[in-house]
Amino acid sequence: MNNLPKDDLPKNGLPKSAPVTSVLIVEDEESILLSLEFLLAKEGYAVTTARDGAAALRALQARPPDLALLDVMLPLIDGFELCRLIRENPALRGTRIMLVTARGREAEIARGMALGADAYLTKPFSTRELMDKVRALLGVPPPV
Amino acid sequence: MLSGALIVVLSFAYVGLLFAIAYYGDKRADAGRSIIANPYIYTLSLAVYCTSWTFYGSVGRAATSGIGFLPIYLGPTLMAALWWYVLLKMIRISKAHRITSIADFIASRYGKSHLLGGLVTIIAVLGIVPYIALQLKAISASFSTMLQYPNVIASTASLPFLQDNTFYIAMLLAAFTILFGTRHLDATERHEGLVAVIAFESIVKLVAFIAVGVFVTWGMFDGFADVFAKAAAVPELNALLVQGGAAGNYTTWASLTVLSMLAIILLPRQFQVSVVENVNERHLNKAIWLFPLYLFAINIFVLPIALGGLMHFPAGTVDADTFVLTLPMSEQKTWLALLAFVGGLSAATGMVIVETIALSTMVCNDLVMPILLRWKFLRLTESRDLSGLLLGIRRSAIVLVLVLGYGYFYLAGEAYALVSIGLISFTAVAQFAPAMIGGLFWKGGTRLGALCGLSAGFLVWLYSLLLPSFAKSGWLPITFLTEGILGFDLLKPQQLFGLEGLDDISHCLFWSMIANVGCYVDFSLWRRPTAAEHSQANLFVDVFRHITPGSGSRFWRGSATVADLQTLLGRFIGPERANEAFAAYARSQGIPGIEQVSANAVLVHYVESQIAGAIGSASARDMVASVVVEEPLALDEVMAIIDEASQALAYSRQLEQKSRELEAATNELRGANQRLQELDRLKDDFISTVTHELRTPLTSIRAFSEILSDNPQLDPQQRSKFLGIITRESERLTRLINQVLDLAKIESGAADWHPSEVDMREVLEDAVAALSQIYKERNIALELRIPEHPPLVMADRDRITQVALNLLSNAANFCDKPDSRVSITLSEEEAALRIDIADNGIGISPADQAVIFEKFRQVSDTAAGKPRGSGLGLAISREIIHHFGGRLWVESTSGLGAKFSFTLPLPRSSTSFLAA
């Protein structure tokens, strides 16, 4: 529907390029990052990672991902701020956002959604729930 | 030879000029454009103090006693320094209560007493009339001296009074005083035209005296130095210039100074110009320094003229009192002589006019009116308009005072009783001092005390000063002086009770003041003051606190009608002026018209004060009482009112105190609440932090558990890696839980301690070994400076190891530079072991240093964002070190690393062990 190439989502399946959906994981806790990376890579997403807010911004600029998994308590720039920056940037209009946080309070969930997050996941999370939400956000059908 | 006619014409022309000035002054006042409403005129009018006694007499006194003339002018100068308090208070009181004379003042202070007012009046008249006579004599003497021009031999023959110009001058002054002193009655009793005249005369006499002084000093001699040098060459004159010689001893100086200090505020004429005629209190501020300046100016040439005269005229040929006149005459300076004559005339007439007004007001208000009003058969209290009668009495009193003055002058002539009257007058008015000054500052003074004091002082004055002056004049047998009354030696009037060695004035001042002050104080203390006295005492002494016009009403209770009050006022000051006064009252109260005025205590007080201006406060009170049904206040009630006031004061002080305490308590509560909120916030933060710290390892554990369970085909390497993560995160979780529990235990005192002798070297080496892997991984160099056999300390080995581990892992956490170093140093200081663990990492800011040891607080590491630990390690470590009696602290410079240190006390015996 949209003719502008930069707005094309990979899942629309341009014939020549690989129909790979990209995911950016921003998480400062090494072991959690590792688990997320494993889970997403296993389902065929192109995964990039960042361990703090600054690295995340660089990654976002280098290649707008289809999905950003954001930890809230991050060094330098926290997840809420990243969320806001993504929503302010027209180039990142197609990026879905999921906040993943150890802070489970209602008020914080509300704040994240208000800032433009598409989904919210509380730590510790079920890996199946995580992947269901990721697929739902990206419009990918569940594996058979 | 100057013709007598010329001098007479000149004199009358001068008095005519005074008329013109007075007329102009009154006209301007009526038009509302006062010419006297400035501090300079006020100061000049105060200079009425300088009479012909100053103008001629100072020189005379200087010629016989040298600098002995000075105390009369030093006194007022000293007193001027106290004016800002004493005189200001008198002015404030007089304005508030419409007091118009010193007799009225004293009567009003002591419960509006007729008797006291009358007594003061009698003393004033007796003391002052001779003084007026002295002025007339000065006019007469200067006149006859001028007639001899250019000869300077004074004629002493007195003329029959009908041919005596002095008599006409006296009558002219009476006419003048009547015309400008009693034009109409009003409450303020102020006379602007008169004040203008007095100020003008003050200028004339000053100019004249200085002119003569300049002439003598530079015309006849070569300046001050020449005069004094030539005088010093003459032994008799030299003696005049030395204190203690002819100038009198210190006692004389002191008593003259005190006398003149009192005179400047108590002489009726001074009271008149400084208090009654005062337009604005603030004029006092300038007068305080300007008036002494005037006195200085008029005295500066006294000595040159006296010495010049003594050197110029053969000894004894010319009366020194006439030097001011005779020196210009002998030098044929006609116009200068005439100027001097006019100056003397100014000094004398100014005094006579003001003194006469003051005395006539007193005679009318405090002597005649009270008596007339008391004579029921005159039915004065029912008369419709008394203002005419009042004016008549005033005018008669003026004539009477001047006639008495002239009579005394005519009879006394050259007698001692007239010549020395100046100081005798001063001593008479000094008798007012205890009642006056006591009344201003002591609430305890009573009517009885004032009456007794005044009477006693007055009698002593009469006996030891006035009668002896009569004796010296030959009017009483001289044996009165030499043998005392009835031959009692102790009663010799000038050596009372054997007191010898004092001059007449000091002697009289001494005894009269002892009698006066003694009676005043003793009789005041003897009886409690009545209600009226008490209320007046409060109003006078506390005048600076009661400033509202209605202040007197506090102590009044009764009922009256407005019409009655207006009629009453009309009877004394005339219906028209009464109407004006009521309109003014309505304006001041913010009431639209007279019709709306209501008869309350404020109005009654207002009317009373208006009437007081016309007939004195004591009579005014009686008059108002005749139309007001007053419910007398008993002393008890007045005391009750005062008590009530002081209770209210005390109560409000208590309230103030209470509200201060309340405020303090509120502040404390607020502080406590803030601390609580802060604690609450800390607890929330802590829980939030702990929650986060718990969730993080749990997340990894759950995620990898599910991964392992969902992916059975994982290669073994990956599988063991994930299992390792699960194990590590589980340990982390355990550690955190342990720390939280640990701190809770230590804080609650439930912790188990296992003290034993601990070798710190072993402890530190164990800790280093435990962390060596981490240090190696992070490439941090470790440096140990630990002696071989450190003294043992008593501690729980595991706990101390926990502290060492905590500090070492903190150090590692803060080291993120490539060449990171951590050093461990063990040393000994003052009966303790000291361990320093220093790193070269990012350091800790001063703000963070203050809080890192508090539990739940962590370095707010902006670079790291997320705390690197639970925030409990340091809190626990400090608790442990404190438990064993040591200290734990940090020194750090941001960016240059941090050094954590702790001490552990050594057992006493082990100190020597280490030293060995």
Side-chain angles (χ1 to χ4, degrees):
Chain A
M1 308 170 212
N2 200 322
N3 293 326
L4 289 173
K6 66 175 178 181
D7 283 332
D8 284 351
L9 291 173
K11 68 176 186 226
N12 288 350
L14 284 174
K16 262 294 192 179
S17 67
V20 178
T21 309
S22 60
V23 178
L24 171 65
I25 305 170
V26 188
E27 171 64 65
D28 66 329
E29 194 68 41
E30 196 63 39
S31 55
I32 299 176
L33 179 60
L34 196 60
S35 67
L36 291 172
E37 199 178 358
F38 177 88
L39 289 165
L40 291 161
K42 191 173 148 267
E43 296 218 356
Y45 298 103
V47 177
T48 44
T49 61
R51 284 170 178 77
D52 61 49
L57 284 181
R58 283 195 298 274
L60 284 164
Q61 249 156 14
R63 182 183 174 188
D66 298 309
L67 172 66
L69 283 181
L70 305 177
D71 183 22
V72 172
M73 277 179 91
L74 281 172
L76 302 178
I77 303 169
D78 74 7
F80 290 133
E81 183 65 10
L82 276 179
C83 186
R84 194 179 63 76
L85 289 170
I86 292 169
R87 283 294 167 252
E88 274 179 5
N89 187 348
L92 298 172
R93 204 177 294 161
T95 301
R96 301 281 178 271
I97 299 173
M98 186 195 293
L99 289 172
V100 184
T101 179
R103 289 178 160 180
R105 291 184 197 160
E106 300 282 332
E108 286 176 356
I109 296 171
R111 184 180 166 204
M113 302 312 273
L115 282 171
D118 298 295
Y120 204 100
L121 194 64
T122 310
K123 295 177 185 173
F125 49 82
S126 143
T127 51
R128 281 163 212 133
E129 187 189 354
L130 166 77
M131 294 317 295
D132 287 348
K133 284 197 174 181
V134 168
R135 284 186 214 105
L137 279 178
L138 294 173
V140 177
V144 185
Chain B
M1 176 93 186
L2 275 170
S3 85
L6 174 65
I7 301 166
V8 171
V9 167
L10 187 71
S11 309
F12 281 74
Y14 180 69
V15 177
L17 178 64
L18 298 187
F19 270 83
I21 292 170
Y23 183 76
Y24 178 67
D26 272 350
K27 275 277 160 278
R28 287 283 295 251
D30 289 345
R33 291 179 301 144
S34 173
I35 54 168
I36 68 158
N38 69 68
Y40 305 102
I41 300 287
Y42 181 66
T43 305
L44 285 171
S45 73
L46 293 182
V48 73
Y49 180 76
C50 299
T51 64
S52 67
W53 192 46
T54 303
F55 197 83
Y56 296 118
S58 291
V59 172
R61 208 176 157 77
T64 55
S65 60
I67 51 177
F69 75 99
L70 271 180
I72 305 299
Y73 307 99
L74 286 178
T77 302
L78 288 174
M79 197 67 199
L82 298 176
W83 275 353
W84 68 271
Y85 197 62
V86 179
L87 192 55
L88 180 66
K89 199 164 187 181
M90 288 164 64
I91 293 173
R92 187 73 66 84
I93 292 167
S94 300
K95 296 270 184 267
H97 301 274
R98 307 280 180 193
I99 284 163
T100 55
S101 71
I102 192 159
D104 201 12
F105 192 99
I106 292 176
S108 180
R109 162 64 182 80
Y110 297 99
K112 305 187 179 175
S113 159
H114 288 303
L115 203 54
L116 206 45
L119 183 61
V120 172
T121 304
I122 289 169
I123 296 175
V125 170
L126 282 176
I128 300 298
V129 162
Y131 200 178
I132 292 176
L134 182 69
Q135 306 302 314
L136 296 177
K137 174 179 144 60
I139 295 172
S140 160
S142 61
F143 186 70
S144 29
T145 306
M146 284 301 285
L147 279 180
Q148 306 299 314
Y149 187 87
N151 297 320
V152 292
I153 311 302
S155 143
T156 50
S158 49
L159 302 162
F161 76 82
L162 281 179
Q163 291 162 36
D164 183 357
N165 295 311
T166 315
F167 178 73
Y168 297 110
I169 291 279
M171 288 304 104
L172 198 60
L173 288 176
F176 180 87
T177 312
I178 286 169
L179 209 53
F180 295 101
T182 59
R183 268 202 323 149
H184 50 65
L185 282 169
D186 82 9
T188 58
E189 202 60 43
R190 283 188 29 228
H191 315 92
E192 299 226 337
L194 268 175
V195 173
V197 164
I198 301 307
F200 173 73
E201 294 202 305
S202 290
I203 297 173
V204 171
K205 65 194 177 199
L206 182 64
V207 168
F209 195 86
I210 289 179
V212 173
V214 167
F215 167 71
V216 172
T217 310
W218 283 282
M220 297 172 63
F221 293 87
D222 278 337
F224 284 106
D226 186 42
V227 178
F228 287 106
K230 286 192 173 136
V234 184
E236 303 91 74
L237 298 190
N238 193 32
L240 294 177
L241 304 174
V242 185
Q243 191 359 300
N249 56 27
Y250 290 110
T251 323
T252 311
W253 269 66
S255 48
L256 290 186
T257 306
V258 169
L259 267 184
S260 50
M261 278 179 82
L262 297 175
I264 194 68
I265 54 169
L266 297 175
L267 277 170
R269 68 173 186 276
Q270 294 306 135
F271 189 90
Q272 183 77 28
V273 289
S274 61
V275 177
V276 180
E277 306 284 359
N278 175 276
V279 182
N280 186 332
E281 280 176 9
R282 274 175 303 188
H283 293 170
L284 205 52
N285 296 344
K286 272 216 173 58
I288 281 173
W289 60 268
L290 267 180
F291 181 63
L293 203 62
Y294 183 96
L295 290 180
F296 176 74
I298 206 166
N299 279 300
I300 201 166
F301 287 109
V302 168
L303 277 177
I305 294 174
L307 296 173
L310 288 174
M311 287 186 279
H312 186 77
F313 299 114
T317 53
V318 176
D319 182 1
D321 277 353
T322 66
F323 281 171
V324 178
L325 217 47
T326 48
L327 279 173
M329 283 167 67
S330 72
E331 294 289 311
Q332 314 279 319
K333 301 291 180 197
T334 314
W335 290 108
L336 186 60
L338 283 173
L339 180 61
F341 172 73
V342 170
L345 192 63
S346 292
T349 53
M351 180 278 183
V352 172
I353 292 167
V354 181
E355 207 79 89
T356 307
I357 287 197
L359 285 181
S360 73
T361 307
M362 284 156 74
V363 167
C364 170
N365 288 2
D366 294 282
L367 212 56
V368 180
M369 278 311 283
I371 295 171
L372 291 185
L373 289 172
R374 198 159 289 198
W375 284 347
K376 298 270 187 271
F377 64 84
L378 287 176
R379 297 184 177 278
L380 280 186
T381 47
E382 292 154 41
S383 164
R384 285 198 56 77
D385 186 353
L386 290 173
S387 55
L389 174 71
L390 277 169
L391 285 177
I393 295 172
R394 291 273 175 93
R395 287 166 185 165
S396 312
I398 287 169
V399 175
L400 181 77
V401 167
L402 278 167
V403 167
L404 281 175
Y406 179 78
Y408 192 84
F409 152 71
Y410 192 75
L411 294 174
E414 285 301 309
Y416 175 85
L418 183 54
V419 180
S420 59
I421 197 66
L423 285 172
I424 296 178
S425 272
F426 275 27
T427 317
V429 295
Q431 302 309 319
F432 301 151
M436 183 78 186
I437 293 168
L440 281 178
F441 298 103
W442 183 43
K443 288 185 192 174
T446 66
R447 188 182 79 105
L448 185 67
L451 269 176
C452 295
L454 263 178
S455 309
F458 174 62
L459 289 174
V460 173
W461 170 78
L462 203 67
Y463 186 72
S464 69
L465 206 55
L466 191 66
L467 293 184
S469 83
F470 288 177
K472 287 177 187 171
S473 308
W475 303 340
L476 287 172
I478 200 72
T479 53
F480 171 67
L481 286 181
T482 53
E483 290 164 25
I485 203 161
L486 306 174
F488 286 112
D489 259 10
L490 289 183
L491 291 182
K492 278 198 283 189
Q494 301 200 315
Q495 287 93 35
L496 272 179
F497 308 111
L499 181 69
E500 289 180 43
L502 288 182
D503 63 284
D504 303 352
I505 299 295
S506 305
H507 173 268
C508 172
L509 188 67
F510 176 79
W511 284 119
S512 64
M513 279 300 143
I514 283 188
N516 193 332
V517 174
C519 290
Y520 174 67
V521 173
D522 286 346
F523 283 97
S524 289
L525 294 175
W526 186 41
R527 289 247 180 92
R528 275 161 48 120
T530 66
E533 286 168 41
H534 206 106
S535 105
Q536 289 301 103
N538 268 306
L539 292 176
F540 274 54
V541 176
D542 294 336
V543 67
F544 290 123
R545 276 188 265 162
H546 305 279
I547 42 161
T548 50
S551 52
S553 57
R554 183 85 174 89
F555 302 100
W556 182 88
R557 192 176 55 197
S559 56
T561 70
V562 177
D564 283 351
L565 288 168
Q566 192 171 346
T567 313
L568 181 73
L569 184 57
R571 280 164 48 202
F572 291 98
I573 65 174
E576 212 169 292
R577 296 182 75 87
N579 208 39
E580 283 169 23
F582 267 66
Y585 170 79
R587 274 196 303 281
S588 74
Q589 298 289 308
I591 303 167
I594 301 177
E595 308 76 38
Q596 277 82 37
V597 169
S598 59
N600 56 20
V602 180
L603 177 67
V604 170
H605 178 79
Y606 177 76
V607 169
E608 186 180 323
S609 67
Q610 294 290 317
I611 296 174
I615 62 170
S617 56
S619 299
R621 188 181 171 77
D622 293 347
M623 288 300 98
V624 170
S626 69
V627 297
V628 172
V629 183
E630 186 171 2
E631 299 161 37
L633 283 175
L635 178 61
D636 293 350
E637 289 174 277
V638 174
M639 294 306 283
I641 291 172
I642 292 163
D643 279 354
E644 196 184 296
S646 52
Q647 269 170 16
L649 212 65
Y651 183 62
S652 84
R653 230 176 272 133
Q654 274 177 7
L655 268 182
E656 225 171 83
Q657 171 76 13
K658 284 267 177 279
S659 86
R660 265 201 300 275
E661 283 168 14
L662 207 64
E663 206 172 303
T666 310
N667 282 339
E668 263 173 52
L669 271 178
R670 196 175 292 135
N673 192 37
Q674 258 165 14
R675 282 194 295 279
L676 274 177
Q677 280 179 350
E678 171 75 1
L679 279 178
D680 196 43
R681 199 182 59 73
L682 284 176
K683 194 194 75 188
D684 280 359
D685 285 356
F686 173 65
I687 288 173
S688 166
T689 307
V690 167
T691 308
H692 182 270
E693 290 299 304
L694 289 170
R695 281 174 194 261
T696 302
L698 270 177
T699 306
S700 302
I701 292 165
R702 181 173 181 184
F704 282 109
S705 303
E706 289 183 8
I707 288 170
L708 285 170
S709 133
D710 289 349
N711 298 283
Q713 279 85 39
L714 275 177
D715 65 88
Q717 202 187 336
Q718 218 167 11
R719 199 179 173 81
S720 75
K721 183 183 174 191
F722 290 172
L723 282 169
I725 291 173
I726 292 175
T727 311
R728 239 185 9 254
E729 292 298 311
S730 301
E731 284 166 2
R732 179 176 165 188
L733 199 55
T734 313
R735 208 163 51 237
L736 180 67
I737 292 168
N738 282 343
Q739 274 193 334
V740 173
L741 291 177
D742 209 18
L743 184 66
K745 265 207 279 187
I746 292 174
E747 285 200 323
S748 66
D752 291 330
W753 301 95
H754 304 289
S756 64
E757 291 198 324
V758 176
D759 183 342
M760 281 308 293
R761 183 185 172 89
E762 285 176 24
V763 167
L764 293 170
E765 280 173 353
D766 283 359
V768 167
L771 293 170
S772 61
Q773 191 59 32
I774 296 176
Y775 274 72
K776 204 172 283 172
E777 278 172 12
R778 301 197 190 173
N779 206 13
I780 301 170
L782 247 176
E783 187 187 345
L784 276 74
R785 288 179 232 143
I786 306 174
E788 281 293 322
H789 297 291
L792 305 179
V793 290
M794 282 302 287
D796 184 323
R797 188 192 165 105
D798 292 347
R799 292 293 190 186
I800 298 299
T801 309
Q802 189 184 344
V803 173
L805 280 170
N806 179 248
L807 296 181
L808 281 172
S809 62
N810 279 352
N813 280 339
F814 283 102
C815 286
D816 50 5
K817 284 185 276 187
D819 59 338
S820 292
R821 263 180 293 108
V822 172
S823 69
I824 305 171
T825 312
L826 194 156
S827 59
E828 191 198 355
E829 69 170 27
E830 291 177 44
L833 273 192
R834 172 172 171 166
I835 293 91
D836 299 303
I837 297 173
D839 65 65
N840 66 343
I842 55 175
I844 302 168
S845 72
D848 284 335
Q849 287 175 35
V851 298
I852 47 170
F853 292 104
E854 290 175 25
K855 54 192 171 182
F856 320 146
R857 297 292 278 265
Q858 296 177 298
V859 173
S860 55
D861 183 359
T862 50
K866 185 154 63 177
R868 299 195 187 185
S870 63
L872 295 173
L874 281 175
I876 293 171
S877 296
R878 180 171 264 195
E879 292 283 346
I880 292 167
I881 297 298
H882 281 181
H883 182 82
F884 292 108
R887 288 198 308 131
L888 169 60
W889 72 97
V890 66
E891 292 160 22
S892 173
T893 310
S894 280
L896 294 176
K899 183 169 82 173
F900 283 86
S901 309
F902 67 92
T903 61
L904 284 169
L906 290 168
R908 268 181 206 162
S909 56
S910 62
T911 316
S912 54
F913 170 79
L914 181 74

